[in-house]
Amino acid sequence: MHTQVCIIGGGPSGLLLSQLLHREGIETVVLERRSRDHVLGRIRAGVLEWGTVDLLRAAGVGERMDAEGFVHDGTLLAAQNRTIRIDFRRLTGKSVMVYGQTEVTADLYAARDAAGGCVIHGAEDVALHDLDGDGAHVTYRRDGQEHRIACDFVAGCDGFHGVSRQAIPASVRREFERVYPFGWLGVLSRTAPVEDELIYANHERGFALCSMRNARLARYYVQVPLSDKVEDWSDDAFWTELKRRIPAEAADRLETGPTIEKSIAPLRSFVCEPMRWGRLFLAGDAAHIVPPTGAKGLNLAASDIFYLWHALRDHYRDGDAAGLEGYSARALARVWKSERFSWSMTNLLHRFPDQGDFGQRMQESELDYLESSEAAQTALAENYVGLPY
Ligand code: RFL
Ligand code: PHB
């Protein structure tokens, strides 16, 4: 089998690239290790930057998002005795869209199916070959049989635990990492969200976040020690802890109920440089991870795909290699800015085991500054709604 671009990973990065290239007449094959049900069962991101919204529209998958997504013009930052509203629209002229990653992924699968796109599930032992030669190829096993796909380029969209990044020789690859000493326990419940906007809460017992998927589906998180297990947390224990950490007036009207999903995610910052090696281009979580505090992971995946889509289009349509040559530097410039923002939001809002009184006062004074300075609020808003591509 031969294709122009072999895409490893059928998550949002891989599917979006496949869909955008299809619209340029460029052929792709997507190799996904898991089943479609598994990919669609993962509850992850909820907030889309406007650049991501526009890119999904350009991919022809904006219709349901525009009908069902919620436009948010601001967000709330809460601390012990104050709530600060960051007014995105007034400060930057932009908003974000609340529309779940699960829905984005479902829309992309539907679009690939409608166009007869080739997405192969259950692809095991994917291996990348000849990335630095004249033509690359990818091998995999499915139903006990070996397969081989020859291709012009490989897009490594297989997430943090994928194989693509490892195909860049260790002598060339440089990795930067920070692992945080806590995780997020997240729940989904069929209850009305406590607030129209998201609440990011700094509390002495630890961070909490109130988010949502729709008018009857709420998404909440609390910071937990890495040693905690999901089984340690009954629904009652979760609601009690959440109520302690959010502003009292929100806690009073919080609707509780049985949770329909509960999981713990570790927090990590990670960047791999370069994002291109020979015929391999990394995109999304395969190349970088951010802690979820700034809602940047999926949005960074989208900006990588935007650059890669343009680079491949220019190559095939105009014979112009500049986009491919410049891909890694261009993508990394934006990645590092989002890494910085996600790290700083994480530092501002979480309780660190070693933070001490000094660290506590640093957070309080930063929140004070944010409350009193329009410039500080604008800087936060500008990053939250998404830096330009
Ligand atoms: P994914 O989604 O991990 O998809 C990679 C796909 O590759 C497959 N795969 C392989 N396929 C073939 N062969 C192999 N060897 C393979 N190895 C892996 C996997 O099965 C999978 O299907 O990466 P992608 O596409 O780059 O997308 C990235 C996003 O999923 C991620 O950045 C976001 O979910 C991060 N994130 C958030 N991002 C936001 O922009 N806004 C948010 O509000 C937000 N909240 C979150 C988040 C992530 C979270 N968790 C659980 C990590 C909240 C949470 C709790
Ligand atoms: C979510 O709704 O899952 C969500 C929202 C904002 C974040 C992280 C996660 O910063």
Side-chain angles (χ1 to χ4, degrees):
M1 194 197 232
H2 179 273
T3 192
Q4 288 173 300
V5 182
C6 184
I7 299 175
I8 319 294
S13 300
L15 294 170
L16 180 57
L17 181 64
S18 171
Q19 177 65 9
L20 288 162
L21 292 180
H22 162 74
R23 288 165 77 91
E24 302 291 343
I26 299 166
E27 206 184 272
T28 64
V29 171
V30 177
L31 295 178
E32 167 58 50
R33 189 173 52 173
R34 314 299 296 250
S35 69
R36 184 178 295 204
D37 283 350
H38 179 94
V39 174
L40 290 174
R42 295 191 289 229
I43 313 291
R44 288 185 168 180
V47 178
L48 307 180
E49 296 173 354
W50 218 257
T52 307
V53 168
D54 282 340
L55 189 59
L56 291 168
R57 288 176 182 156
V61 292
E63 202 175 315
R64 196 163 70 95
M65 171 186 71
D66 282 323
E68 297 177 15
F70 291 82
V71 175
H72 281 209
D73 291 339
T75 195
L76 301 168
L77 300 186
Q80 266 82 344
N81 44 22
R82 68 180 131 215
T83 300
I84 309 165
R85 178 162 189 270
I86 308 293
D87 188 332
F88 303 147
R89 187 135 276 281
R90 184 175 64 78
L91 296 164
T92 68
K94 295 191 186 130
S95 305
V96 294
M97 174 86 86
V98 171
Y99 188 65
Q101 176 168 332
T102 317
E103 309 309 320
V104 171
T105 311
D107 295 346
L108 283 164
Y109 269 123
R112 295 315 297 125
D113 287 350
C118 180
V119 182
I120 298 169
H121 288 275
E124 291 168 25
D125 297 338
V126 169
L128 288 58
H129 310 271
D130 297 338
L131 295 168
D132 54 349
D134 289 342
H137 72 276
V138 175
T139 53
Y140 66 98
R141 219 162 34 80
R142 188 165 185 272
D143 298 332
Q145 270 195 306
E146 288 288 334
H147 299 268
R148 182 184 198 275
I149 301 177
C151 54
D152 302 338
F153 300 104
V154 179
C157 300
D158 47 352
F160 183 65
H161 299 288
V163 292
S164 301
R165 186 173 68 250
Q166 317 299 335
I168 302 180
S171 57
V172 176
R173 189 166 20 110
R174 187 151 180 222
E175 297 185 343
F176 302 80
E177 182 171 52
R178 164 147 310 173
V179 178
Y180 299 87
F182 40 74
W184 280 16
L185 167 65
V187 309
L188 202 58
S189 76
R190 292 199 198 286
T191 52
V194 66
E195 183 64 68
D196 291 344
E197 294 181 342
L198 273 63
I199 307 175
Y200 287 87
N202 170 304
H203 192 274
E204 61 194 14
R205 297 180 63 87
F207 170 76
L209 170 61
C210 303
S211 182
M212 66 200 69
R213 289 295 176 272
N214 61 47
R216 286 302 304 166
L217 199 54
R219 178 76 166 151
Y220 297 113
Y221 299 94
V222 294
Q223 174 187 347
V224 293
L226 279 174
S227 51
D228 277 18
K229 303 270 169 289
V230 173
E231 309 78 73
D232 302 338
W233 285 88
S234 66
D235 287 357
D236 276 353
F238 180 84
W239 294 120
T240 304
E241 190 57 36
L242 179 66
K243 282 182 181 179
R244 284 185 179 136
R245 298 186 187 188
I246 61 179
E249 70 277 9
D252 288 345
R253 59 187 153 74
L254 181 76
E255 182 186 339
T256 61
T259 65
I260 52 175
E261 197 263 353
K262 204 185 272 163
S263 54
I264 295 182
L267 268 66
R268 181 194 305 273
S269 297
F270 174 87
V271 180
C272 166
E273 290 184 351
M275 285 172 59
R276 178 226 176 152
W277 189 70
R279 294 177 177 274
L280 169 66
F281 295 82
L282 299 181
D285 281 14
H288 39 73
I289 295 289
V290 287
T293 326
K296 288 286 161 249
L298 177 60
N299 292 301
L300 264 189
S303 58
D304 289 351
I305 297 302
F306 176 89
Y307 299 136
L308 190 50
W309 163 45
H310 281 255
L312 289 164
R313 185 198 60 188
D314 294 353
H315 165 80
Y316 283 112
R317 193 185 60 189
D318 309 325
D320 176 356
L324 291 176
E325 297 297 338
Y327 170 73
S328 179
R330 203 175 168 205
L332 281 167
R334 192 169 189 280
V335 165
W336 277 114
K337 294 189 193 86
S338 288
E339 289 282 344
R340 187 209 64 79
F341 176 66
S342 306
W343 163 83
S344 75
M345 285 282 278
T346 303
N347 287 338
L348 173 65
L349 295 170
H350 290 74
R351 197 85 347 193
F352 286 74
D354 60 354
Q355 113 180 38
D357 292 345
F358 182 79
Q360 169 80 25
R361 288 293 160 96
M362 286 295 103
Q363 287 185 342
E364 285 168 15
S365 87
E366 191 168 343
L367 286 161
D368 261 350
Y369 176 53
L370 258 177
E371 192 170 24
S372 62
S373 161
E374 176 138 331
Q377 291 184 17
T378 305
L380 193 152
E382 177 179 54
N383 280 279
Y384 197 95
V385 301
L387 297 174
Y389 286 3

